[in-house]
Amino acid sequence: MSTAVVTGGGRGIGRAIALRLASDGHAVAVNDVDKATAEAVTAEIAEAGGRAATVAGDVTDRDAVFGMVESAVAAFGSVDVMVANAGIAQVKTLRELTAADLQRMFEVNVFGVVWCLQAAAEQMIAQGTGGKIISAASIAGHSGFDRLGHYSATKFGVRALTQAAAKELAPHGITVNAYCPGIVDTAMWELIDDQLGGYLGTAKGEAMKQYSQLITLGRVQTPEDVAGLVSYLAGPDSNYMTGQSVVIDGGIVMV
Ligand code: NAD
């Protein structure tokens, strides 16, 4: 019996991952800072016959993250998979960034991932059964994107953390990997599209269309496209993979 915690699981990519892992047979502890959305996804999983519990909370709060793992263990007996998916984006040039912008971006996308790594590792080591830690990076973690410089820096950071954690946790049978989506049709890209519009002078939807020209496969990515990779990273077929930040983007950034 395997239990997965999915942060930012209330919508978008996190929701698709939570639903997919549940249908793969994992019990899923659904986290989000927006409790109502996490509860809705928990209910969706239960209605489909899966096992789920809500573990709401803010990933920037270390104690809250350790509490989420505790609650998941209380509900299902273990934590075997941690998906540190929660993240935020903001479009701004580096010249415009304030200390608050930079701080917030790192608090969620880097600090949040570290707290998830720590809480999951402690639990998995105590269980003695190994585990899988999976984090959200991005194509912006492989190539620095203009007007998304601080976002890109956090995602390069996730790749570094993934590599270091893979080495530190291998002796405990824990693998650590990341997924790097491209342009996924979620609320995050709605925000990016809107904020980019201010720079490009484009109307709603136009910036996303322009950026989508870069996609080799010729269509925008769905959250389910990402969830398929995470299903693999959470399952036994990826047992020999660690330290990798795998791009799944329809062929925008080829590494
Ligand atoms: P989204 O904004 O649609 O959803 C993110 C979810 O995380 C929301 O439900 C939000 O409430 C939650 N969240 C935000 N801050 C949180 C916090 N502090 N604690 C707990 N939950 C929090 O985003 P998405 O598009 O689904 O992206 C998910 C992840 O994938 C992010 O890490 C993002 O950077 C990454 N990603 C997204 C894309 C894309 O094109 N959408 C591309 C590459 C990488």
Side-chain angles (χ1 to χ4, degrees):
M1 212 62 96
S2 166
T3 304
V5 177
V6 181
T7 71
R11 73 178 190 204
I13 295 170
R15 172 179 167 275
I17 292 170
L19 295 175
R20 175 61 190 264
L21 294 185
S23 78
D24 287 347
H26 302 269
V28 182
V30 185
N31 159 265
D32 208 284
V33 71
D34 181 344
K35 191 175 179 201
T37 63
E39 284 173 342
V41 173
T42 299
E44 217 176 328
I45 292 171
E47 273 159 34
R51 291 172 306 141
T54 300
V55 293
D58 187 332
V59 297
T60 67
D61 177 344
R62 186 178 186 274
D63 291 342
V65 175
F66 276 73
M68 285 167 208
V69 167
E70 244 174 59
S71 302
V73 173
F76 301 117
S78 66
V79 167
D80 310 283
V81 178
M82 166 62 77
V83 185
N85 166 79
I88 56 166
Q90 181 189 34
V91 177
K92 256 195 182 183
T93 64
L94 292 171
R95 289 170 61 203
E96 291 170 311
L97 285 183
T98 65
D101 291 333
L102 203 53
Q103 200 161 332
R104 182 74 194 142
M105 189 61 67
F106 275 79
E107 261 171 15
V108 180
N109 293 7
V110 176
F111 284 52
V113 167
V114 174
W115 304 151
C116 288
L117 263 163
Q118 286 186 345
E122 289 317 311
Q123 177 60 29
M124 290 168 183
I125 291 168
Q127 288 168 196
T129 49
K132 289 173 175 278
I133 301 177
I134 304 161
S135 305
S138 167
I139 52 170
H142 283 274
S143 178
F145 278 66
D146 48 337
R147 304 184 192 99
L148 285 159
H150 59 327
Y151 175 78
S152 295
T154 63
K155 297 302 187 181
F156 271 75
V158 170
R159 282 181 58 213
L161 293 168
T162 298
Q163 294 177 10
K167 291 172 187 171
E168 291 180 11
L169 299 176
H172 303 285
I174 300 169
T175 63
V176 188
N177 293 291
Y179 51 97
C180 302
I183 301 174
V184 190
D185 193 5
T186 66
M188 177 176 283
W189 242 99
E190 271 174 41
L191 172 110
I192 294 173
D193 174 77
D194 180 53
Q195 294 183 349
L196 271 175
Y199 289 95
L200 305 174
T202 46
K204 190 172 158 50
E206 283 304 311
M208 189 167 182
K209 230 183 239 169
Q210 275 186 27
Y211 275 67
S212 300
Q213 303 298 318
L214 304 168
I215 305 172
T216 302
L217 291 180
R219 68 163 175 86
V220 167
Q221 190 167 6
T222 66
E224 290 71 26
D225 290 325
V226 185
L229 171 61
V230 177
S231 164
Y232 165 74
L233 294 175
D237 284 349
S238 64
N239 281 353
Y240 197 60
M241 179 186 285
T242 198
Q244 303 304 314
S245 293
V246 184
V247 175
I248 177 157
D249 69 345
I252 301 172
V253 171
M254 299 192 184
V255 290

